[in-house]
Amino acid sequence: MSVLVLADHDLGALSPATARVVHAVAELGPVEILVAGEDIAAAAQSASSLAGVTKVLTAEGQFAADSLEMLLSTLAVRYHYLVASAGSVGKDVIPRLAAKLDLMPVTDIVAILGPNRFERPIYAGNALQTVTSNQSKHILTLRASAFRAAASGNAAPIEPLDVSGISSAAKVIAAHRTQSDTPDLATAQIVVGGGIAVGSAEGFQLIESLAKKLGAAIGATRAAVDAGYAPNDWQVGQTGKIIAPDLYIAIGISGALQHLAGIQGAKKIVAINTDAEAPLVKLADIALIGDLFEIIPQLIAELDKTGLKR
Amino acid sequence: MKILVAVKRVVDHNVRIRVRPDGSGVETNGVRMSMNPFCKHAVEAAVQLAEAGQAEEIVVVSIGPKSANDVILTALAMGAHRGILVETDAELETLAIAKLLAKIVAEENPDLVLLGKQAVDDDSNHVGQMLAALTGRPQATFASEIKVTGQGLEVSREVDTGRQTLALPLPAIVTADLRLNTPRNAALPQVMKARSKPLATRAAADFGVDLAPRLTVEKISPPPERMAGKTVGSVAELAAFIAADISQMEAL
């Protein structure tokens, strides 16, 4: 039962989400990876090194959902499973591909229970749905944060595809990237999140200094993003990124349902908040009640004393 | 330009949902229902385009039971011109919904179809993309800004790495994200006026579309419960907890 995984990549680098998707689907059959886009040589190399990968296909060019759907539908005949991570590219193209093939996709999967049994959250993670599919092919997206990453050390062959006949009606005319040297939010092991109580973009620099100290990614609530304190790609929640770090440190976050939906997979939660009654404080493994502007500098100093190295 | 907006009636997003003990689903009896929040952003975007003189007609369509008329009336009160209810009591999968919408698109031939990016009940995030495939139209999902240009649309969309702007020729499909606008609450006179706007009811079964589900939902279960934690009294205790937790983490 062969599997094709659509790789996530950006600025030439393979996204950590892809290694997790590959590991998750390796039990379903031999895995091939498609790397489609511009400046993909290094990403294709990284993909070929992932354990379980038998071949890497590359498609050089600018793709949007319509052309990516066209490319994937020409390849579909060869595979039983076509899979992407539930990131913005996977969400954009996988349902489109499924409809083109007259198949019902299963998306945002958090557990693979068998070759055709999958578990996925509904109602913002307040319920889990177990579905089985007896369709001829399975068109899937996986929530990467719910799975472990594949090891590297492999060297699968890389094969370029001829995509000369494929073009997009939609054209990318601008991209605005957030500059940050912190780890990838969706797959980070530690995340430091800030809420509206952080108060300003300058306040978020305090969050950033703690994140740097811990080697953590930075997250933000929708309210903090809407207020302009943090960029939209830091947003954690039902409509932002879904995270499942080993440790989530929530600073000045009350815990709106929307935000809780995004952090349900966190193994340990630490909350720092002035309000002892905040839902997130009640939910946290450890909470400290107080003013974040006093606590965070002290916390960084205390962590220095413990000799923590990240 | 003519705009078609698809809206869904869902459990109100402020309601704390309860999974039925027998695993058959989520309790919806006696629960407040309303328009899916993302659909509201789609309706608002259409109304704003009409107010800016860039759209002449807004047709709003919903697929569901008779009671889905409520959300169509909400959209009409917000400023849509006429409504279509595709009536069915069956719970349809997103593929069947997209196929029914494709039939409506073939009849109405809108320049732009606006939808919410996802429904807050099944969280599928499928229908806009599927409709784009079935109608062969380009798409822009997760839209946070829509500009009409001479050639078509420029749509800014929220992506994993930040924001991206797409140029789309018309006809096209766009799905709305939360930052697209702030949906209005219609005043009472608009609500009253909405009742006199045209609202057609069509039976889903009459469209010649295979509505049978492709997936079997085995069960619906509540997520695992989290154990309540404790409050510490000092920054030093908190630092010790964090340091201990990090030292225990397995390397990725």
Side-chain angles (χ1 to χ4, degrees):
Chain A
M1 301 286 269
S2 53
V3 185
L4 182 66
V5 170
L6 175 65
D8 280 307
H9 60 90
D10 186 51
L11 297 175
L14 190 71
S15 155
T18 301
R20 291 171 179 245
V21 171
V22 166
H23 190 234
V25 298
E27 61 194 90
L28 298 173
V31 178
E32 299 185 11
I33 298 188
L34 171 64
V35 188
E38 294 172 306
D39 185 21
I40 54 175
Q45 265 320 320
S46 308
S48 114
S49 76
L50 294 174
V53 172
T54 57
K55 195 198 282 184
V56 177
L57 305 173
T58 59
E60 183 86 41
Q62 201 191 75
F63 290 92
D66 51 348
S67 51
L68 207 45
E69 171 235 287
M70 225 181 286
L71 172 60
L72 284 165
S73 58
T74 62
L75 298 172
V77 66
R78 301 195 222 159
Y79 303 95
H80 295 99
Y81 298 87
L82 290 109
V83 189
S85 87
S88 46
V89 173
K91 286 177 179 171
D92 205 25
V93 72
I94 286 293
R96 184 169 178 130
L97 171 69
K100 183 72 163 196
L101 300 173
D102 193 26
L103 295 166
M104 179 65 197
V106 184
T107 53
D108 221 7
I109 292 166
V110 292
I112 297 176
L113 306 172
N116 63 345
R117 276 182 84 218
F118 310 100
E119 190 175 82
R120 61 180 301 272
I122 56 174
Y123 287 94
N126 289 304
L128 291 163
Q129 186 184 51
T130 305
V131 298
T132 56
S133 167
N134 292 312
Q135 299 175 104
S136 57
K137 279 184 204 303
H138 304 289
I139 314 295
L140 315 174
T141 68
L142 268 56
R143 187 177 280 186
S145 59
F147 301 95
R148 285 280 175 210
S152 57
N154 190 8
I158 297 173
E159 185 184 294
L161 295 170
D162 176 14
V163 291
S164 51
I166 292 175
S167 71
S168 295
K171 302 279 181 219
V172 178
I173 54 174
H176 311 273
R177 279 192 179 75
T178 304
Q179 296 299 324
S180 175
D181 51 1
T182 49
D184 174 56
L185 175 59
T187 55
Q189 203 169 12
I190 307 174
V191 174
V192 180
I196 192 78
V198 175
S200 64
E202 293 70 43
F204 258 85
Q205 287 170 7
L206 198 57
I207 304 288
E208 194 161 359
S209 56
L210 178 61
K212 287 233 168 93
K213 173 79 206 158
L214 298 172
I218 310 168
T221 63
R222 183 164 103 81
V225 174
D226 282 349
Y229 304 164
N232 72 281
D233 52 313
W234 285 2
Q235 186 182 317
V236 171
Q238 183 187 12
T239 85
K241 292 198 168 111
I242 307 280
I243 61 170
D246 290 334
L247 177 62
Y248 181 54
I249 303 179
I251 299 170
I253 298 177
S254 65
L257 282 178
Q258 210 269 99
H259 186 74
L260 296 181
I263 62 160
Q264 267 162 352
K267 286 201 186 70
K268 291 265 172 63
I269 298 175
V270 170
I272 299 170
N273 205 310
T274 50
D275 177 10
E277 298 304 312
L280 198 47
V281 171
K282 301 257 184 210
L283 204 74
D285 297 277
I286 291 282
L288 180 59
I289 308 304
D291 180 356
L292 68 96
F293 296 101
E294 287 169 20
I295 291 173
I296 296 176
Q298 289 175 28
L299 181 59
I300 292 172
E302 287 288 341
L303 287 167
D304 276 333
K305 278 194 229 162
T306 67
L308 181 77
K309 284 270 182 300
R310 288 283 296 175
Chain B
M1 127 169 117
K2 177 176 176 179
I3 304 177
L4 184 78
V5 189
V7 298
K8 184 176 186 182
R9 181 176 183 266
V10 297
V11 171
D12 187 273
H13 71 286
N14 290 315
V15 171
R16 197 176 190 89
I17 63 118
R18 233 164 25 85
V19 175
R20 289 194 199 113
D22 65 358
S24 65
V26 164
E27 193 53 71
T28 51
N29 284 330
V31 170
R32 183 159 41 111
M33 307 289 283
S34 58
M35 191 193 294
N36 177 46
F38 297 101
C39 301
K40 255 190 160 164
H41 291 271
V43 174
E44 178 65 33
V47 173
Q48 287 185 10
L49 287 169
E51 286 172 343
Q54 288 165 324
E56 293 78 47
E57 191 185 19
I58 303 167
V59 182
V60 55
V61 57
S62 190
I63 300 172
K66 191 85 200 159
S67 49
N69 266 339
D70 292 359
V71 295
I72 297 178
L73 285 170
T74 303
L76 295 175
M78 288 172 73
H81 298 99
R82 65 186 166 89
I84 304 169
L85 172 68
V86 178
E87 194 178 343
T88 173
D89 286 325
E91 268 193 41
L92 300 184
E93 285 178 351
T94 51
L95 183 62
I97 297 284
K99 287 180 176 182
L100 288 169
L101 288 177
K103 294 278 187 185
I104 300 280
V105 167
E107 288 178 9
E108 296 283 343
N109 200 25
D111 303 287
L112 172 62
V113 185
L114 278 164
L115 308 92
K117 71 166 180 178
Q118 74 189 64
V120 297
D121 48 5
D122 60 29
D123 278 336
S124 287
N125 196 332
H126 294 166
V127 174
Q129 296 89 314
M130 289 178 149
L131 180 62
L134 297 174
T135 58
R137 295 179 174 201
Q139 73 189 45
T141 49
F142 324 128
S144 55
E145 194 184 352
I146 302 171
K147 271 193 271 188
V148 179
T149 64
Q151 291 75 43
L153 302 177
E154 276 181 26
V155 181
S156 285
R157 51 192 299 266
E158 300 198 352
V159 294
D160 289 345
T161 52
R163 277 186 304 123
Q164 181 189 66
T165 306
L166 289 180
L168 290 182
L170 293 172
I173 313 283
V174 175
T175 73
D177 213 326
L178 293 177
R179 288 189 190 90
L180 183 56
N181 50 47
T182 307
R184 68 195 67 197
N185 281 314
L188 190 61
Q190 273 73 46
V191 175
M192 299 310 290
K193 214 170 105 188
R195 296 190 180 278
S196 59
K197 290 184 176 178
L199 202 173
T201 299
R202 316 264 304 269
D206 292 350
F207 284 86
V209 169
D210 173 17
L211 303 176
R214 306 288 185 85
L215 306 176
T216 310
V217 178
E218 215 175 285
K219 62 170 180 186
I220 308 282
S221 50
E225 256 182 73
R226 194 174 269 280
M227 303 297 283
K230 61 169 186 174
T231 301
V232 291
S234 72
V235 176
E237 282 176 80
L238 185 66
F241 175 85
I242 291 172
D245 193 60
I246 289 175
S247 70
Q248 279 171 16
M249 271 178 204
E250 52 180 307
L252 271 184

